[in-house]
Amino acid sequence: MKRALISGITGQDGSFLAELLLSKGYEVHGIVRRASTFNTDRLDSIYLDPHEPNATLHLHYGDVTDGASLRHIMDKAQPDEVYNLAAQSHVRVSFDQAEYTADVVATGTLRFLEVLRDYVSPGGKQVRFYQAGSSEMFGSANPPQSESTEFQPRSPYAVSKVAAHWYSVNYREAYGLFICNGILFNHESPRRGETFVTRKITRALGRIKLGLQEKLFLGNLTAMRDWGYAGDYVEAMWLMLQQDQPDDYVVATGESHSVTEFLDLAAFHYGIDNWRRYVETDPRYFRPTDVNYLLGDPSKIRRKLGWQPKVTFEELIRKMVDHDMELAKQEQTLTHAGHKVVMRGLSHG
Ligand code: NDP
Ligand code: GDR
């Protein structure tokens, strides 16, 4: 049985990846941050009590800002594959918490690579490592962006991801480690964090449709993104680590749409006639520097690994709308029963 270790397992991608690896017969270990509230909701459907004899998902407390915890977990989990997905992943928030973002995203990756390097000492166990890179690294570079496009990062988050990318390349070259950088363009799902623009839109329009909310406040509506489905993208991560040689790959759909187009389609699926009546601009959601136009060129991964996305832009929006319509209905039922329902934590989104 192969063993995998996932940092960021409680996030959107971590939960999809854990499901994929469990379905392939892996024993999966995940790193979870201690929090005062539960942060494992996305894993509820696959988590078994560790006392169950057939539990193959194991969670360990740890943090990528704590190198010693990574060492302990590597020793316990003895993984064949490591997927480093942990990040302060919100671009807007990275302007408020730049040092912290660098510590988690850039130095966090370096800490992991240092542990890996010791762990894979000569004659030691071979471990394959996936680094979660981002299209944000391309920043203001002209589209379409491919593996050979120069990085021009536009946020503390993106700069930190560029550092993590180059640390990974350097450790691959310097120590002969099996490390792959995935350069993934935006990917979404009903599990997407509620402060990212797609989910913020599908959540809010559902609530507006049922009269639970009056307005949706957004920032830059002209930004163009290459949006895919998270379930497809974790397959690309896994595929990279199954090859004979480590390499770096862009993962994208090859189609780009504006935030406005996303609003158009989401409103259409909800049967909302004119979303402009409900949407207002709030400058707090503008970024000091934004990325205007991302469009990935996925030809390398299609050619070399045979990967291509299965879910289209429209299907993605429909999945998110269907899910968030159900959530809004549940909230409506609670409201009718006299419960106060609050939208939480959207001020940073
Ligand atoms: P999420 O924000 O949903 O998940 C991030 C995960 O990282 C969570 O499990 C979070 O834990 C964990 N985490 C945060 N800080 C730490 C820390 N200090 N130590 C350990 N774990 C930590 O992100 P996604 O799932 O969307 O993305 C996964 C990765 O891929 C990230 O690295 C992201 O930057 C990158 N990426 C994402 C893209 C996308 O479109 N989704 C595109 C390109 C790259 P907790 O649940 O406790 O907060
Ligand atoms: P992004 O995703 O920054 O591309 O990073 P996000 O959904 O936050 O923003 C996409 C675009 O929408 C514009 N926008 C808004 N964004 C948010 N969050 N909230 C708003 O109200 C709003 N209004 C307009 C933004 O300005 C931006 O142009 C995501 C993250 O998952 C990263 O971790 C990942 O690396 C990249 O995708 C690829």
Side-chain angles (χ1 to χ4, degrees):
M1 187 189 263
K2 269 198 193 174
R3 281 194 294 271
L5 172 62
I6 305 174
S7 76
I9 194 168
T10 55
Q12 171 188 255
D13 291 8
S15 66
F16 277 106
L17 181 63
E19 280 169 25
L20 177 77
L21 297 177
L22 288 171
S23 76
K24 290 184 182 296
Y26 279 66
E27 180 179 296
V28 176
H29 294 256
I31 301 179
V32 178
R33 296 196 289 175
R34 196 271 157 182
S36 67
T37 51
F38 283 115
N39 56 2
T40 50
D41 294 5
R42 291 185 177 104
L43 303 174
D44 281 350
S45 64
I46 49 173
Y47 188 70
L48 278 181
D49 188 285
H51 303 98
E52 297 269 340
N54 52 350
T56 48
L57 172 62
H58 305 274
L59 301 180
H60 308 264
Y61 281 117
D63 198 300
V64 295
T65 60
D66 175 2
S69 73
L70 301 179
R71 277 178 202 278
H72 297 318
I73 295 168
M74 285 288 278
D75 280 341
K76 271 195 224 157
Q78 303 264 323
D80 303 288
E81 296 170 9
V82 174
Y83 295 85
N84 182 32
L85 310 185
Q88 188 304 91
S89 73
H90 202 286
V91 175
R92 171 70 193 85
V93 174
S94 77
F95 288 95
D96 299 333
Q97 292 191 273
E99 284 180 36
Y100 173 71
T101 302
D103 195 23
V104 175
V105 175
T107 314
T109 303
L110 178 60
R111 287 187 191 98
F112 229 136
L113 293 171
E114 278 288 281
V115 174
L116 186 76
R117 176 186 158 200
D118 292 345
Y119 195 72
V120 186
S121 54
K125 182 169 174 164
Q126 285 309 305
V127 183
R128 297 179 172 211
F129 190 91
Y130 172 83
Q131 168 54 23
S134 164
S135 51
E136 282 295 296
M137 301 189 300
F138 294 125
S140 48
N142 286 334
Q145 295 95 2
S146 71
E147 294 79 3
S148 56
T149 303
E150 191 188 329
F151 296 141
Q152 295 180 27
R154 299 262 291 168
S155 65
Y157 166 82
V159 173
S160 301
K161 281 287 183 192
V162 170
H165 176 95
W166 288 120
Y167 282 137
S168 300
V169 170
N170 180 239
Y171 274 57
R172 180 169 69 210
E173 291 173 353
Y175 307 115
L177 299 173
F178 193 109
I179 299 172
C180 297
N181 287 293
I183 307 177
L184 273 56
F185 283 62
N186 298 54
H187 44 278
E188 321 291 311
S189 75
R191 296 183 208 169
R192 185 59 144 151
E194 295 190 21
T195 60
F196 297 97
V197 77
T198 55
R199 189 78 200 289
K200 188 172 166 182
I201 291 170
T202 57
R203 276 296 269 138
L205 292 185
R207 298 184 93 246
I208 287 168
K209 171 90 181 166
L210 297 191
L212 297 163
Q213 181 175 336
E214 286 175 8
K215 290 280 176 205
L216 166 59
F217 294 96
L218 293 172
N220 176 11
L221 302 189
T222 61
M224 305 279 296
R225 290 289 183 275
D226 182 328
W227 277 298
Y229 174 57
D232 290 341
Y233 284 44
V234 297
E235 291 198 10
M237 297 177 188
W238 175 77
L239 269 176
M240 287 178 214
L241 295 199
Q242 311 314 309
Q243 306 310 307
D244 293 337
Q245 295 300 325
D247 205 346
D248 304 331
Y249 298 90
V250 157
V251 183
T253 67
E255 248 184 58
S256 190
H257 301 273
S258 65
V259 175
T260 305
E261 284 174 78
F262 193 98
L263 276 159
D264 284 339
L265 272 178
F268 173 76
H269 286 310
Y270 270 121
I272 293 175
D273 284 343
N274 181 6
W275 56 260
R276 289 176 198 274
R277 291 206 328 251
Y278 308 104
V279 173
E280 281 186 26
T281 301
D282 183 341
R284 90 167 69 186
Y285 302 119
F286 288 129
R287 295 153 189 205
T289 40
D290 204 352
V291 169
N292 296 325
Y293 193 177
L294 290 175
L295 167 66
D297 171 1
S299 30
K300 177 175 170 183
I301 192 162
R302 197 167 46 221
R303 195 177 64 250
K304 291 202 154 178
L305 309 191
W307 178 90
Q308 53 184 24
K310 299 184 191 95
V311 175
T312 64
F313 182 59
E314 186 166 291
E315 286 163 352
L316 167 68
I317 295 178
R318 188 183 288 278
K319 272 181 194 285
M320 295 177 73
V321 166
D322 288 349
H323 179 272
D324 286 344
M325 188 68 218
E326 281 310 309
L327 277 188
K329 282 184 188 160
Q330 288 169 19
E331 286 179 49
Q332 191 183 45
T333 307
L334 285 173
T335 313
H336 287 163
H339 291 275
K340 186 167 162 27
V341 176
V342 220
M343 283 297 270
R344 291 171 302 167
L346 294 191
S347 60
H348 286 299

